[in-house]
Amino acid sequence: ACKVILFFELLCFSWCCPRPFVFRPFPFVWSTSFLTMGDSAKGAKLFKQRCAQCHTVDAGAKHKTGPNLHGLFGRKTGMAKGYSYTQANQSKGIEWNEGTLFIYLENPKKYIPGTKMVFAGLKKKGERKDLIAYLKESTA
């Protein structure tokens, strides 16, 4: 018998066909509409206070302790040319977008264990939304 439950697919087989059930999470797609309310002016202030000592956003700017973030959206982790990433960042394999940044910025070391980024994260959702709004404008 096959049962479909919201968000999960659970395959079961009858007693005459003994197989272990297969549990597959329903593919989760990030909706980024919840991030549209970020204030890029507040994000610019946050970037200056918490990020600018290690990152730049301008095209062609040099890397600092952290990589230049220009062209961040749509780029895969560990792929900024000329920057020496940890193996953890290179092998994470996700693409940076509003949803992945929203999770990452809360706790970078939890999202990418083994990263050399020492930033503790932004716990407040509003601050993350503001910073992402700024990054979206300034890194394009």
Side-chain angles (χ1 to χ4, degrees):
C2 200
K3 295 181 181 182
V4 177
I5 301 172
L6 289 178
F7 303 111
F8 297 98
E9 178 184 343
L10 182 62
L11 297 177
C12 299
F13 298 93
S14 68
W15 61 270
C16 67
C17 186
R19 287 183 166 171
F21 71 91
V22 177
F23 180 73
R24 294 187 190 121
F26 185 81
F28 182 76
V29 178
W30 269 101
S31 169
T32 58
S33 61
F34 73 99
L35 293 172
T36 57
M37 296 189 305
D39 182 333
S40 64
K42 288 181 182 177
K45 186 177 178 181
L46 277 168
F47 185 85
K48 186 176 180 182
Q49 292 171 342
R50 301 193 185 179
C51 311
Q53 59 270 30
C54 296
H55 295 281
T56 56
V57 293
D58 300 321
K62 292 184 178 185
H63 299 299
K64 290 183 172 182
T65 305
N68 178 326
L69 300 177
H70 188 78
L72 175 68
F73 289 84
R75 185 169 69 203
K76 293 218 182 245
T77 54
M79 295 296 173
K81 291 184 181 183
Y83 185 75
S84 177
Y85 286 96
T86 62
Q87 186 59 42
N89 275 76
Q90 292 173 349
S91 62
K92 182 69 175 178
I94 59 106
E95 184 177 296
W96 291 121
N97 59 46
E98 294 93 337
T100 53
L101 279 170
F102 190 78
I103 298 169
Y104 178 74
L105 290 171
E106 182 178 17
N107 188 341
K109 289 187 179 210
K110 181 178 179 183
Y111 191 67
I112 303 180
T115 185
K116 61 183 172 182
M117 186 163 155
V118 295
F119 181 61
L122 296 170
K123 303 306 176 210
K124 295 179 182 177
K125 291 179 183 181
E127 288 183 345
R128 283 182 277 154
K129 290 178 185 180
D130 294 342
L131 183 57
I132 291 167
Y134 169 71
L135 289 173
K136 187 128 178 140
E137 286 181 7
S138 64
T139 64

